[in-house]
Amino acid sequence: MKGKILAVEENRGIILADNGERYEFDINEWKEKVPPLKGMEVDFEIDGNRAKNIYLLEIPKPDIITAINMESNIKYFGGLGALFILLSWIPYIGLGLYLVGLILLTIAFKKLSDKDPSKEIFKNWLIVLIGGIIISIILGAVFISATVNQSEALMFLAYLIFVGLGIFTGVYYKKIFIAIYEITGETLFKTAANTFFWGGILTIIFIGGFLIFIGWIIATIAFFSMKTK
């Protein structure tokens, strides 16, 4: 039987078959390497009211994956941006590398978001970028005040803000990189997303920074592993 994917949510989806009937499917029945997307033409078998053994016939137009392949600069903007963030610990030039990395990632995320606006990649990036700056400023002010006044209460407040910043960035990084995985099919983006998330959560016991560092390594490899024409 042939049909078209109407919707995909988490681990399930719905196909509208040529006979006019709708069939739900489990993601485990999807037999292709690229993730299933709304609008894809598929061939499948019917098992009661469910679809199984689903194969891709045609990617909907505009072809998101092909468009990304044509935009190979996304691969290099994103890869170099992530690499520069990764190297921002280097003395003297670290801040410059960090700022350049943010700019390159912003360009890459904007181009990816243009390919599929529903994923809100660029919007989530701006939220984490602007929100992170604001929280960091507050954190700095509280920490300086705690140091000057030798206040344990303010120092504990600074710690709580630090943990909150880690969780905030971890949650939004996961949203961003899961969305990139769903668009590109590159599984390393999904791994990076989960690493960032747990890195953010585990800032509460001070090992989160290490996981976030690993996350940027994985993200760098993921960008450079994107398939291009």
Side-chain angles (χ1 to χ4, degrees), residues 5 15 30 56 103 113 115 126 143 151 196 206 215:
I5 296 178
I15 296 173
W30 181 254
L56 174 64
I103 292 171
S113 192
K115 302 304 175 186
L126 290 181
F143 180 78
S151 170
F196 282 129
F206 297 107

mmCIF file of all heavy atoms in Angstrom, residues 5 15 30 56 103 113 115 126 143 151 196 206 215:
data_model
loop_
_atom_site.group_PDB
_atom_site.id
_atom_site.type_symbol
_atom_site.label_atom_id
_atom_site.label_comp_id
_atom_site.label_asym_id
_atom_site.label_seq_id
_atom_site.Cartn_x
_atom_site.Cartn_y
_atom_site.Cartn_z
ATOM 1 N N ILE A 5 2.666 10.492 4.771
ATOM 2 C CA ILE A 5 2.728 10.732 6.209
ATOM 3 C C ILE A 5 2.010 12.037 6.541
ATOM 4 O O ILE A 5 2.335 13.091 5.987
ATOM 5 C CB ILE A 5 4.183 10.786 6.705
ATOM 6 C CG1 ILE A 5 4.862 9.431 6.506
ATOM 7 C CG2 ILE A 5 4.233 11.184 8.180
ATOM 8 C CD1 ILE A 5 6.322 9.408 6.918
ATOM 9 N N ILE A 15 -0.281 7.738 8.795
ATOM 10 C CA ILE A 15 -0.182 7.715 7.331
ATOM 11 C C ILE A 15 -1.582 7.754 6.736
ATOM 12 O O ILE A 15 -2.486 7.031 7.189
ATOM 13 C CB ILE A 15 0.541 6.446 6.840
ATOM 14 C CG1 ILE A 15 1.992 6.435 7.332
ATOM 15 C CG2 ILE A 15 0.491 6.345 5.313
ATOM 16 C CD1 ILE A 15 2.720 5.138 7.020
ATOM 17 N N TRP A 30 9.729 2.111 10.782
ATOM 18 C CA TRP A 30 10.352 2.959 9.754
ATOM 19 C C TRP A 30 11.696 2.342 9.359
ATOM 20 O O TRP A 30 12.562 2.127 10.194
ATOM 21 C CB TRP A 30 10.530 4.370 10.297
ATOM 22 C CG TRP A 30 11.138 5.337 9.325
ATOM 23 C CD1 TRP A 30 12.409 5.831 9.334
ATOM 24 C CD2 TRP A 30 10.497 5.927 8.191
ATOM 25 N NE1 TRP A 30 12.603 6.695 8.297
ATOM 26 C CE2 TRP A 30 11.444 6.771 7.567
ATOM 27 C CE3 TRP A 30 9.220 5.826 7.645
ATOM 28 C CZ2 TRP A 30 11.151 7.508 6.424
ATOM 29 C CZ3 TRP A 30 8.931 6.557 6.510
ATOM 30 C CH2 TRP A 30 9.879 7.389 5.912
ATOM 31 N N LEU A 56 10.443 4.736 2.362
ATOM 32 C CA LEU A 56 10.307 6.050 1.737
ATOM 33 C C LEU A 56 10.264 5.928 0.216
ATOM 34 O O LEU A 56 11.092 5.248 -0.384
ATOM 35 C CB LEU A 56 11.486 6.943 2.157
ATOM 36 C CG LEU A 56 11.591 8.319 1.501
ATOM 37 C CD1 LEU A 56 10.390 9.175 1.885
ATOM 38 C CD2 LEU A 56 12.887 8.998 1.931
ATOM 39 N N ILE A 103 28.990 33.680 16.607
ATOM 40 C CA ILE A 103 28.524 34.277 15.339
ATOM 41 C C ILE A 103 28.324 33.199 14.285
ATOM 42 O O ILE A 103 27.297 33.165 13.594
ATOM 43 C CB ILE A 103 29.530 35.340 14.854
ATOM 44 C CG1 ILE A 103 29.542 36.543 15.799
ATOM 45 C CG2 ILE A 103 29.177 35.794 13.429
ATOM 46 C CD1 ILE A 103 30.652 37.532 15.534
ATOM 47 N N SER A 113 17.150 26.798 10.464
ATOM 48 C CA SER A 113 15.786 27.175 10.816
ATOM 49 C C SER A 113 14.990 27.576 9.583
ATOM 50 O O SER A 113 13.784 27.302 9.500
ATOM 51 C CB SER A 113 15.810 28.330 11.827
ATOM 52 O OG SER A 113 14.542 28.539 12.399
ATOM 53 N N LYS A 115 15.206 26.258 6.739
ATOM 54 C CA LYS A 115 14.837 25.042 6.017
ATOM 55 C C LYS A 115 13.565 24.419 6.578
ATOM 56 O O LYS A 115 12.786 23.817 5.856
ATOM 57 C CB LYS A 115 15.972 24.012 6.072
ATOM 58 C CG LYS A 115 17.298 24.500 5.502
ATOM 59 C CD LYS A 115 17.149 24.969 4.074
ATOM 60 C CE LYS A 115 18.451 25.565 3.572
ATOM 61 N NZ LYS A 115 18.278 26.148 2.221
ATOM 62 N N LEU A 126 18.254 32.022 20.082
ATOM 63 C CA LEU A 126 18.218 33.394 20.592
ATOM 64 C C LEU A 126 17.793 33.422 22.060
ATOM 65 O O LEU A 126 18.307 34.229 22.851
ATOM 66 C CB LEU A 126 17.253 34.240 19.757
ATOM 67 C CG LEU A 126 17.691 34.566 18.322
ATOM 68 C CD1 LEU A 126 16.648 35.429 17.632
ATOM 69 C CD2 LEU A 126 19.048 35.260 18.308
ATOM 70 N N PHE A 143 27.953 37.282 42.672
ATOM 71 C CA PHE A 143 29.225 36.712 43.114
ATOM 72 C C PHE A 143 30.177 37.796 43.634
ATOM 73 O O PHE A 143 30.832 37.623 44.668
ATOM 74 C CB PHE A 143 29.876 35.948 41.965
ATOM 75 C CG PHE A 143 31.190 35.317 42.336
ATOM 76 C CD1 PHE A 143 31.228 34.150 43.065
ATOM 77 C CD2 PHE A 143 32.394 35.910 41.957
ATOM 78 C CE1 PHE A 143 32.445 33.563 43.420
ATOM 79 C CE2 PHE A 143 33.608 35.347 42.297
ATOM 80 C CZ PHE A 143 33.636 34.166 43.039
ATOM 81 N N SER A 151 29.767 37.249 52.254
ATOM 82 C CA SER A 151 28.446 36.755 52.652
ATOM 83 C C SER A 151 28.241 35.318 52.175
ATOM 84 O O SER A 151 28.248 35.054 50.963
ATOM 85 C CB SER A 151 27.349 37.660 52.084
ATOM 86 O OG SER A 151 26.079 37.086 52.260
ATOM 87 N N PHE A 196 24.505 17.549 26.341
ATOM 88 C CA PHE A 196 24.302 18.921 26.833
ATOM 89 C C PHE A 196 23.262 18.949 27.960
ATOM 90 O O PHE A 196 23.440 19.653 28.964
ATOM 91 C CB PHE A 196 23.840 19.833 25.702
ATOM 92 C CG PHE A 196 24.936 20.282 24.786
ATOM 93 C CD1 PHE A 196 24.811 20.137 23.407
ATOM 94 C CD2 PHE A 196 26.088 20.866 25.285
ATOM 95 C CE1 PHE A 196 25.819 20.565 22.564
ATOM 96 C CE2 PHE A 196 27.100 21.297 24.442
ATOM 97 C CZ PHE A 196 26.965 21.144 23.073
ATOM 98 N N PHE A 206 28.888 19.923 39.963
ATOM 99 C CA PHE A 206 30.118 20.444 39.380
ATOM 100 C C PHE A 206 30.826 19.516 38.387
ATOM 101 O O PHE A 206 32.002 19.715 38.095
ATOM 102 C CB PHE A 206 31.120 20.852 40.489
ATOM 103 C CG PHE A 206 30.610 21.964 41.351
ATOM 104 C CD1 PHE A 206 30.185 21.720 42.646
ATOM 105 C CD2 PHE A 206 30.538 23.260 40.867
ATOM 106 C CE1 PHE A 206 29.707 22.750 43.444
ATOM 107 C CE2 PHE A 206 30.057 24.299 41.658
ATOM 108 C CZ PHE A 206 29.638 24.035 42.952
ATOM 109 N N GLY A 215 30.016 17.538 25.046
ATOM 110 C CA GLY A 215 28.915 17.834 24.124
ATOM 111 C C GLY A 215 29.368 18.658 22.938
ATOM 112 O O GLY A 215 28.957 18.405 21.801
#
